[in-house]
Amino acid sequence: MSKASPLNVVILAAGMGKRMHSNLPKVLHKLAGRPLLSHVLDAARALSPAKIIVVTGHEAALVREAAAAPDIVFVNQSPQLGTGHAVQQAVPELAPGGKTVVLLGDVPLIQPAALQPLIDGPVNRVSMMTTLLDDPTGYGRVVRDARKKVKCVVEHKDATRAQHKIREINTGIFCYPTAKLGKWLGQLKPNNAQKEYYVTDVLPMALKDKVPVEGILCSDPPQVEGVNNRAQLTQLERVYQQRLATKLLEQGVAIADPARFDVRGAITCGRDVSIDVGCVFEGKVELGDGVRIGAHCVLNNITVAANTIIEPFSHLTQASVGVNCRIGPYTRIRPGTQLADEVHIGNFVEVKASDIGYGTKASHLTYIGDSTVGRNVNVGAGTITCNYDGANKHRTVIEDDVFIGSDTQLVAPVTVRRGATIGAGATITREAPADQLTLSRAKQMSVPGWKRPVKISKG
Ligand code: UD1
Ligand code: CA
């Protein structure tokens, strides 16, 4: 909308969400890893409004903290006397003229395209998004006259038996002429079963003022379904994930089972990426061409370059992985790790805050922490970088072409120079020189005549 005719978006988020049975306010419960309210804010922002006003009430401080952003104005509604009372709190903040869209903080899947028909059309009009439900129990029913024009909305608790049969419901999403809204809201009376100020009572007032009321049917119910309890939250979560999976499948990503696929953030995939069942992607995840992710992996803020394979049950957090690497199964990569190309990190290997060079392998049972590891290093099974002295962390440096024998402890700070070989079972506390074999274990010996103890008989 133009500057002369600005758009406001008001988001109602003051309710407590009793049926969640939770201390967390409902709008902060998460869908796809983000609060319900942030999904609604995304839709609001996509409309490029002049103002976004969020009405908070129950646990207002928590909601404000979670949603705070320079483009949002918060208003408080206390006590919460109904949806009409909630919108009324936003009136002093509205940019005058133009239109005001009201969204609900607990209706997370709404998309900007579905809102457009509400906003389009003359300023002097009230539009209400409706939908058809097989089971409309609990919702406000849309009552139309003989000419199919919207007359009013009747809440379930106030409806007659005949009205209970109406399947068209009020989604709670509206667009109003801003100039008239304040006056109408000021005339609301709580004359109903719940003794609340119903925003829906504005409709007959609009008609009386000769402002047309348009019911606009949304043909995609999940977009306008609200979250009232945890069961509904999981249902909408699955809808979200299924829709995202469908989009990625259409782009060519081989998702083994869209029903066992979870993205809690933003994922981008190159060509011929395959993702097996049960994986969770959190934060920003980028998968290059030909990347394969095995079953039950968790990737949190990860970049994976082309043709790398991540085998099942691997957990990677805040790291980058190069081209043609092989990770897992059962690998843990922790924050601040960079793996160069052609690296192999195998089962029960944990890597934290380390740079691992091209072609290096740590195939089994190893901890590499706070380390710089060069190119073509072979880290034997059971190697541990002892990075923590009980008070401080220290770095381990392993230069190119080093071979570390199995069961070695590298007590940091320590450096293993280029081309060095460390014999198995070593405890390295000082620099190991380049190109030499360094050993630290005791010499093997045998005790002649030694006998195994025998069990003493108690009888
Ligand atoms: C409301 C509508 C109903 C519609 C339904 C759709 C009214 C009177 N009824 O009913 O017609 O079918 O939504 O889901 O409008 N809220 C506040 N402050 C309040 C009360 C509510 O901010 O004082 C917020 C809630 O946090 C929630 C939204 O408004 O986000 C809807 O409130 P809720 O109590 O769930 O309304 P319903 O009774 O479901
Ligand atoms: Ca509701």
Side-chain angles (χ1 to χ4, degrees):
M1 288 190 101
S2 69
K3 277 232 163 62
S5 179
L7 180 69
N8 295 286
V9 179
V10 175
I11 302 176
L12 304 189
M16 107 162 123
K18 221 184 271 169
R19 284 168 286 170
M20 296 299 281
H21 299 288
S22 168
N23 292 336
L24 193 66
K26 178 163 72 178
V27 293
L28 296 189
H29 280 262
K30 285 182 177 167
L31 183 137
R34 297 166 59 219
L36 297 177
L37 182 56
S38 358
H39 292 272
V40 183
L41 283 169
D42 284 354
R45 287 191 173 110
L47 302 174
S48 312
K51 264 183 126 169
I52 300 176
I53 300 149
V54 177
V55 183
T56 59
H58 176 72
E59 294 283 15
L62 280 181
V63 177
R64 283 166 190 227
E65 193 190 318
D71 61 340
I72 299 172
V73 176
F74 292 95
V75 296
N76 204 42
Q77 186 206 12
S78 177
Q80 289 98 50
L81 302 178
T83 50
H85 180 249
V87 179
Q88 205 175 11
Q89 309 313 304
V91 169
E93 290 292 343
L94 297 176
K99 302 177 184 182
T100 297
V101 169
V102 175
L103 304 177
L104 304 183
D106 57 357
V107 178
L109 298 191
I110 187 70
Q111 295 298 306
L115 294 170
Q116 210 54 54
L118 251 76
I119 299 164
D120 293 344
V123 174
N124 203 34
R125 177 184 87 157
V126 174
S127 48
M128 164 175 57
M129 192 178 282
T130 72
T131 197
L132 291 171
L133 295 183
D134 291 335
D135 178 12
T137 309
Y139 288 94
R141 308 298 206 284
V142 178
V143 180
R144 291 179 183 259
D145 66 15
R147 286 161 32 251
K148 302 270 177 247
K149 293 273 177 217
V150 173
K151 267 172 67 184
C152 61
V153 169
V154 180
E155 289 308 299
H156 185 94
K157 286 179 181 156
D158 304 305
T160 62
R161 277 218 173 146
Q163 287 167 335
H164 278 157
K165 297 214 172 73
I166 299 172
R167 283 182 52 224
E168 188 183 8
I169 61 107
N170 164 31
T171 64
I173 297 172
F174 287 89
C175 182
Y176 305 96
T178 306
K180 306 242 163 78
L181 189 55
K183 178 192 124 188
W184 292 334
L185 292 169
Q187 293 170 6
L188 290 176
K189 300 254 160 28
N191 298 332
N192 50 60
Q194 306 186 84
K195 304 275 177 279
E196 286 182 2
Y197 295 88
Y198 288 172
V199 77
T200 43
D201 288 347
V202 157
L203 303 186
M205 295 178 193
L207 291 171
K208 216 173 126 213
D209 284 353
K210 304 264 178 296
V211 176
V213 173
E214 197 86 53
I216 295 174
L217 192 75
C218 174
S219 53
D220 182 23
Q223 280 199 49
V224 292
E225 270 167 38
V227 172
N228 292 310
N229 55 43
R230 289 180 191 264
Q232 286 169 342
L233 179 58
T234 59
Q235 282 158 16
L236 289 188
E237 174 81 34
R238 282 340 298 166
V239 170
Y240 177 96
Q241 298 299 347
Q242 180 80 44
R243 288 181 177 189
L244 181 57
T246 302
K247 210 164 17 166
L248 290 167
L249 285 162
E250 280 165 8
Q251 287 166 14
V253 180
I255 295 172
D257 181 0
R260 286 178 288 170
F261 171 76
D262 286 272
V263 176
R264 300 172 190 159
I267 187 171
T268 53
C269 298
R271 288 176 82 80
D272 296 304
V273 166
S274 75
I275 298 170
D276 210 335
V277 300
C279 293
V280 178
F281 301 94
E282 299 168 330
K284 191 169 172 224
V285 174
E286 290 173 56
L287 306 179
D289 293 348
V291 165
R292 282 155 47 191
I293 310 291
H296 305 289
C297 288
V298 178
L299 273 65
N300 173 312
N301 290 296
I302 292 290
T303 306
V304 184
N307 298 321
T308 282
I309 298 173
I310 300 188
E311 304 275 11
F313 300 101
S314 295
H315 185 185
L316 291 77
T317 307
Q318 293 171 46
S320 67
V321 182
V323 169
N324 258 324
C325 292
R326 258 191 102 111
I327 312 296
Y330 301 100
T331 291
R332 179 159 183 222
I333 307 284
R334 291 174 52 200
T337 296
Q338 278 93 37
L339 308 181
D341 299 344
E342 311 267 351
V343 164
H344 177 214
I345 306 290
N347 41 250
F348 308 108
V349 176
E350 174 180 345
V351 185
K352 186 212 85 176
S354 296
D355 288 313
I356 310 288
Y358 173 92
T360 286
K361 295 182 174 62
S363 300
H364 337 261
L365 300 160
T366 283
Y367 174 62
I368 302 174
D370 303 309
S371 300
T372 304
V373 182
R375 297 163 66 93
N376 297 314
V377 170
N378 193 310
V379 179
T383 296
I384 306 288
T385 57
C386 310
N387 58 329
Y388 186 51
D389 61 12
N392 297 297
K393 301 267 171 73
H394 302 283
R395 287 200 77 78
T396 299
V397 177
I398 302 170
E399 294 184 350
D400 296 348
D401 301 311
V402 162
F403 182 99
I404 308 228
S406 296
D407 196 24
T408 292
Q409 298 100 52
L410 299 157
V411 182
V414 74
T415 299
V416 181
R417 291 288 176 207
R418 177 184 297 265
T421 299
I422 308 294
T427 301
I428 301 297
T429 55
R430 282 175 286 132
E431 179 171 316
D435 299 316
Q436 291 183 27
L437 172 65
T438 298
L439 300 168
S440 82
R441 60 185 178 235
K443 252 201 181 131
Q444 182 169 333
M445 60 176 236
S446 303
V447 180
W450 180 83
K451 290 257 172 348
R452 276 191 196 172
V454 284
K455 199 170 180 130
I456 300 161
S457 131
K458 285 189 181 144

